[in-house]
Amino acid sequence: MQITSRKKVRRWFTKILWRHIVGIIVAIFSLFPLIWMISAAFDVTNQLSTQQLIPVHKGFDNFNALFSNEEKPYLVWVRNSLVVATTAALLQTLLGSAAAYSLSRHKFKGRAITLNAILIVQMFPQLLAATTLFLIVNSLGDTFPLLGLGHQLPLILIFTGAALGVNTWMLKGFFDTIPSDIDEAAKIDGASHAVIFTKIIIPLATPVFVVIFLLSFIGILNEYLISSVILGLDGPKMTLAVGLQQFIYGSYAKNWGPFTAGALLATIPVLTLFMVLQKYLVTGLVAGSSKG
Amino acid sequence: MIGKKRFKRNLQILLVISITILLAVAALKFLQNGSWLFASFAGITAILVARTYWLGGSVHSKYLFPGVILLIFFHIYPAIYSGQVAFTNDSNGHQLSKGQAISAILEDSLIPIEAQSPINYVITIGNSDGKVFAVFEYAGSYWAGNSQSFNKLNRDNLGFSPEGKLLAIKGYQILDESLQSDYSQELQTLSIHVNSKLILSPSDFEYLEAYQPGRIYSEKEDQITDLTTKSLYSPNDNGQMVNSSGDILYPGWKINVGFRNFTSIINNSEVRRPLLAVLLWTFINAILAVFLSFIMGLVLALVFNLAEMKSKRIYRTVFITPLAIPSVLSILVWAGLFQTSNGVINRLFHSDIPWLTDAYWAKLAILLVEVWISFPYMFLITTGAIQAISSEVIEAADIDGASNFQSFTQIKLPLVLRTVGPLLVAAGAMALNNFGIIYLLTGGGPTFSNSNGNAGATDILISYTYKLAFNSQEGNNYGLASALSILNFVLIGFLSIYGLKRIKTMEGMN
């Protein structure tokens, strides 16, 4: 009896313990920036140089400073980001799924070509054409100021233009798994293609839509290059990604506190959503990239 | 029920018609402004919308149309347009057409005539074309003029108040004072060419100032003469007016320069030397970022692929936090942690490492952050691939007496690589354009001394292009930036095709 338990302990040491050690080291590495972000956000001394893991002087000063800074309107940036990311991600999901529905269900000439063309276009990221996107939006603005530089509408359109490349293959793959008997039956009952799409396919695919919407949303939230080119590096139209970068321009140490407070506030909702929907998002991430 | 259906159908038709009309109006507006390309695009889209949704287009086109049209205009067209811009000298000071540039040069040379007192004028809008005209009295007659035209007015068409104030002009609408400020931009650029020696231009809402030209342009000889210095300027091969002693008149204009942007990549040592270093680091960075994070992901997947370890789920959740933090934010936080003086990392290790300002340390810092961001993804896909290997295969190897190491290198690794291979190629293609990490962490710096401040030791092709196009100290160069984008397009295309072919042959061999 005693021998087997000792054996068990030894087995635990050789087989399990070192895995925990590896796990803890990697966990510290994974959480490192997040921990310091939290710590700095609540450290009222607002000094890079004196910051401790557990702040000596705790408080909400950094958050107050963040909200009262009129030169760097954090809440305006958040609103801008939400407007751009929500609209563009919604349009991306909608247009992507409409295209995927057609490619999955309708047999037409040029279907294979369309699918391949989307795959090839996807290989060339939109951000490579940032220079010409800038020139195009600049001249669009000569006629319609709302479509010009410094406005969110052209940015939303640009991101929506990437919709087919990002989502279509993944959504088509999912629609292909929905048995077409269902829509054949509906068709016999007299349902139109619009009814089949909105009343049958969309409800069945809701979880996938949520995943694609969230991944697109996070992707747009993280986009820096095209946003900064179209909206500019100052002014009230900036997105959060471009705006927060301004905090660390020049003297980093001076703005470390408010910056981390702002970063933390923006991280919490995304992190929470991600963790709650972890199962679906992880599947989506892996499936999405395997298709292209 | 039927009524509701008809209502819906009518609503749809109404929507389609209004979108068609909106696009048609946009097309006309573009045409008015001379943007014939945008005009034809809007016009064709209007026709296609009507054709697809109104006049019985096929079902599949109804679903594909909006996505495809936006893809064409905001993804494919910019890429093609890059190809066009790459053959021009489009840059700061070279964005106007030749005609616009020459009128700007002439405009700049105007010399005020002190002897001529300012002339009172009224702001009017032409009834026929809606343009702004200045109406004024000069040399005993009344005239209506703007930058394009200059007409004598018939006195019979004018109406005066008893005090002699101009009240009405046939064919023109006198602008209400409250609306004047809406037209201030038009008035600022207004200049009326009365004759070759007299140009009138508004100084405010009431008076026209008199000027004489300092330079004249002769269309026949394609030359500008400076009237004060008598110097002659002719166009050079870079879209600028230049005289015999090399003085340049600004602004220049946009011209086709053929392959010059591409040849300058090879011939101009200021472009070539930094570009070679940038290209090298673009590849090394992409390969190392993918390789290191793949190795880390694979090792972790092997370590935690143990059924009896109950806590592996918790570890998994912790490991994927880097994926769940918006990467722009985490990169900026890392930039703070890496600060040389006072940065958390240097304080933790009691070191004084110039993480972001020394060429080698900065590269290391970038790789570290890249691994931090992408190892969770690699961990997830390799875990999936390992779990997909059937246990029978592994058991069979055990029975055949394969060691752990053998079973890993001979069986597990090839099978995993086969599954994740295409994903690694895709990750590599993405890593080639890892703009965010480079730009937000080091800004591409430390800067090379021989690159005019545009390229640095950690710049990759896309960040170098961005700086040339939008952040350059010597003026933004859209032409050269587009040429580099084309180079980038070609590189990615070749690498993706090559990478995927390699994987196909590997699969064929198995």
Side-chain angles (χ1 to χ4, degrees):
Chain A
M1 193 66 196
Q2 219 180 1
I3 294 168
T4 50
S5 93
R6 191 182 296 163
K7 236 185 182 171
K8 253 190 183 165
V9 171
R10 234 183 66 196
R11 197 180 138 70
W12 189 84
F13 266 100
T14 54
K15 233 183 159 176
I16 307 285
L17 178 68
W18 68 272
R19 289 173 207 260
H20 278 298
I21 294 171
V22 173
I24 287 165
I25 292 171
V26 177
I28 291 172
F29 178 60
S30 306
L31 296 175
F32 190 76
L34 183 65
I35 292 168
W36 285 98
M37 192 185 345
I38 297 169
S39 143
F42 292 100
D43 186 341
V44 298
T45 51
N46 182 20
Q47 291 286 318
L48 200 57
S49 56
T50 55
Q51 197 200 338
Q52 300 295 316
L53 186 55
I54 306 212
V56 186
H57 304 284
K58 291 174 270 291
F60 290 93
D61 292 20
N62 291 325
F63 294 90
N64 293 333
L66 180 71
F67 293 128
S68 59
N69 191 334
E70 274 167 27
E71 264 173 55
K72 302 187 177 85
Y74 178 76
L75 290 176
V76 176
W77 298 338
V78 170
R79 199 194 58 206
N80 292 344
S81 270
L82 284 179
V83 169
V84 171
T86 313
T87 325
L90 209 62
L91 286 172
Q92 277 194 356
T93 316
L94 271 175
L95 297 191
S97 53
Y101 168 64
S102 155
L103 289 166
S104 164
R105 286 304 197 264
H106 301 125
K107 308 278 171 271
F108 57 90
K109 232 168 109 185
R111 183 167 156 273
I113 296 172
T114 313
L115 275 167
N116 282 327
I118 289 172
L119 204 62
I120 291 168
V121 168
Q122 212 183 110
M123 281 201 309
F124 301 103
Q126 213 180 9
L127 88 170
L128 284 187
T131 315
T132 39
L133 281 170
F134 169 81
L135 295 173
I136 290 170
V137 171
N138 191 15
S139 33
L140 280 176
D142 288 343
T143 309
F144 296 104
L146 212 62
L147 282 174
L149 296 174
H151 289 277
Q152 287 158 359
L153 189 60
L155 191 62
I156 292 171
L157 288 174
I158 289 171
F159 289 144
T160 312
L164 285 204
V166 179
N167 302 329
T168 307
W169 271 83
M170 185 174 164
L171 278 160
K172 181 192 169 284
F174 182 79
F175 290 165
D176 286 346
T177 65
I178 300 174
S180 57
D181 300 358
I182 300 179
D183 30 308
E184 292 300 331
K187 214 182 268 174
I188 290 165
D189 289 347
S192 68
H193 59 87
V195 171
I196 295 173
F197 183 53
T198 52
K199 298 271 157 64
I200 298 175
I201 305 282
I202 289 187
L204 280 173
T206 308
V208 185
F209 285 146
V210 173
V211 168
I212 287 191
F213 172 79
L214 276 175
L215 291 177
S216 306
F217 183 85
I218 294 173
I220 294 166
L221 219 55
N222 278 330
E223 209 288 326
Y224 180 91
L225 202 164
I226 296 176
S227 309
S228 76
V229 164
I230 301 296
L231 298 178
L233 289 173
D234 46 39
K237 298 283 181 182
M238 279 191 294
T239 54
L240 189 65
V242 183
L244 270 182
Q245 203 239 349
Q246 310 282 303
F247 259 108
I248 64 162
Y249 252 165
S251 169
Y252 205 136
K254 213 166 60 192
N255 294 317
W256 181 234
F259 161 71
T260 45
L264 182 64
L265 281 182
T267 300
I268 289 171
V270 179
L271 187 75
T272 316
L273 258 177
F274 196 96
M275 288 306 170
V276 171
L277 300 171
Q278 202 195 120
K279 213 175 88 194
Y280 305 103
L281 285 176
V282 164
T283 331
L285 264 178
V286 175
S289 46
S290 69
K291 292 278 156 31
Chain B
M1 200 53 195
I2 289 168
K4 197 178 161 196
K5 230 178 195 171
R6 185 179 289 164
F7 174 72
K8 255 185 159 171
R9 176 84 192 130
N10 287 340
L11 202 71
Q12 274 173 18
I13 291 180
L14 200 69
L15 191 73
V16 171
I17 292 175
S18 33
I19 291 176
T20 311
I21 291 173
L22 204 74
L23 283 164
V25 171
L28 286 177
K29 273 273 224 174
F30 280 129
L31 209 59
Q32 234 174 35
N33 262 2
S35 325
W36 61 268
L37 191 82
F38 294 154
S40 48
F41 192 84
I44 291 169
T45 313
I47 294 167
L48 287 177
V49 167
R51 166 99 188 76
T52 312
Y53 295 100
W54 189 13
L55 305 171
S58 57
V59 174
H60 68 265
S61 62
K62 288 186 169 121
Y63 287 88
L64 279 170
F65 182 77
V68 168
I69 212 83
L70 283 166
L71 180 79
I72 289 173
F73 193 67
F74 287 106
H75 197 152
I76 297 175
Y77 168 60
I80 294 170
Y81 187 41
S82 301
Q84 202 186 329
V85 177
F87 291 97
T88 68
N89 64 345
D90 197 342
S91 55
N92 278 4
H94 287 280
Q95 289 199 281
L96 303 171
S97 68
K98 187 175 180 184
Q100 287 168 324
I102 284 172
S103 46
I105 290 171
L106 298 183
E107 212 58 45
D108 274 353
S109 73
L110 296 183
I111 303 161
I113 307 173
E114 307 288 343
Q116 170 76 51
S117 56
I119 298 167
N120 202 322
Y121 79 106
V122 254
I123 308 164
T124 65
I125 306 292
N127 283 347
S128 54
D129 57 3
K131 293 225 164 80
V132 177
F133 284 88
V135 174
F136 56 94
E137 192 184 1
Y138 172 73
S141 307
Y142 275 89
W143 308 82
N146 63 16
S147 305
Q148 283 80 38
S149 64
F150 179 59
N151 309 314
K152 192 171 181 178
L153 298 172
N154 193 332
R155 211 169 261 272
D156 298 340
N157 292 338
L158 306 174
F160 292 95
S161 74
E163 296 86 37
K165 198 173 170 232
L166 195 55
L167 283 184
I169 308 146
K170 201 175 171 190
Y172 298 88
Q173 196 76 43
I174 295 178
L175 195 66
D176 196 75
E177 246 175 72
S178 59
L179 296 172
Q180 281 176 352
S181 54
D182 294 348
Y183 289 90
S184 53
Q185 211 178 353
E186 276 97 330
L187 290 172
Q188 253 169 36
T189 54
L190 193 83
S191 65
I192 306 155
H193 290 250
V194 178
N195 56 43
S196 66
K197 295 214 169 67
L198 179 65
I199 293 161
L200 296 172
S201 188
S203 56
D204 53 28
F205 293 133
E206 275 180 73
Y207 288 100
L208 297 170
E209 200 83 50
Y211 297 91
Q212 64 184 50
R215 299 179 191 129
I216 48 166
Y217 174 67
S218 143
E219 212 159 321
K220 211 171 124 211
E221 276 106 34
D222 196 12
Q223 272 180 337
I224 287 179
T225 315
D226 193 312
L227 295 174
T228 25
T229 60
K230 303 284 175 235
S231 181
L232 279 178
Y233 293 84
S234 350
N236 67 4
D237 65 349
N238 195 28
Q240 286 164 323
M241 280 292 181
V242 65
N243 70 4
S244 52
S245 49
D247 297 326
I248 293 169
L249 297 176
Y250 293 98
W253 59 92
K254 192 158 88 175
I255 54 165
N256 276 326
V257 294
F259 283 91
R260 199 198 295 159
N261 286 320
F262 293 95
T263 49
S264 83
I265 293 172
I266 301 161
N267 294 333
N268 184 344
S269 70
E270 258 180 27
V271 180
R272 183 188 63 226
R273 253 184 282 150
L275 184 66
L276 282 180
V278 164
L279 271 177
L280 195 65
W281 171 238
T282 307
F283 283 112
I284 293 179
N285 174 55
I287 291 166
L288 281 181
V290 173
F291 179 74
L292 292 175
S293 47
F294 170 68
I295 295 294
M296 182 162 172
L298 178 66
V299 168
L300 287 177
L302 290 169
V303 168
F304 289 95
N305 185 36
L306 191 71
E308 54 191 288
M309 196 171 172
K310 295 282 181 295
S311 49
K312 68 179 178 198
R313 279 216 162 149
I314 300 168
Y315 283 120
R316 198 180 100 132
T317 305
V318 173
F319 292 168
I320 63 170
T321 37
L323 280 180
I325 303 176
S327 63
V328 237
L329 302 176
S330 56
I331 295 166
L332 289 172
V333 170
W334 275 109
L337 301 175
F338 273 126
Q339 292 295 300
T340 308
S341 55
N342 306 328
V344 166
I345 295 174
N346 271 346
R347 279 195 289 128
L348 276 182
F349 295 107
H350 298 287
S351 57
D352 201 18
I353 297 168
W355 282 107
L356 302 177
T357 47
D358 173 85
Y360 292 99
W361 288 110
K363 286 178 181 174
L364 192 68
I366 283 170
L367 282 172
L368 204 93
V369 176
E370 278 169 342
V371 169
W372 181 83
I373 284 183
S374 33
F375 90 85
Y377 170 70
M378 297 293 180
F379 169 64
L380 290 172
I381 59 172
T382 43
T383 301
I386 289 172
Q387 280 168 355
I389 300 171
S390 79
S391 51
E392 285 163 29
V393 179
I394 308 289
E395 273 164 30
D398 269 350
I399 292 165
D400 287 349
S403 69
N404 266 344
F405 182 71
Q406 274 175 327
S407 119
F408 172 72
T409 52
Q410 314 261 321
I411 296 166
K412 278 189 196 165
L413 190 60
L415 285 174
V416 166
L417 275 178
R418 201 167 139 186
T419 324
V420 303
L423 301 186
L424 293 185
V425 174
M430 292 233 302
L432 285 176
N433 285 300
N434 226 336
F435 176 82
I437 292 181
I438 307 281
Y439 191 74
L440 297 176
L441 207 58
T442 63
T447 310
F448 291 134
S449 51
N450 59 0
S451 70
N452 285 323
N454 286 330
T458 55
D459 259 321
I460 55 174
L461 200 49
I462 181 91
S463 64
Y464 180 42
T465 309
Y466 176 89
K467 288 199 276 182
L468 274 177
F470 303 110
N471 228 346
S472 176
Q473 286 161 10
E474 47 181 279
N476 299 337
N477 193 339
Y478 307 115
L480 184 58
S482 296
L484 289 182
S485 296
I486 298 291
L487 185 70
N488 208 341
F489 273 126
V490 172
L491 281 178
I492 292 187
F494 269 118
L495 279 178
S496 311
I497 291 166
Y498 173 77
L500 290 173
K501 272 218 170 115
R502 274 293 297 271
I503 285 165
K504 280 229 173 97
T505 48
M506 261 168 63
E507 274 175 1
M509 267 152 44
N510 282 328

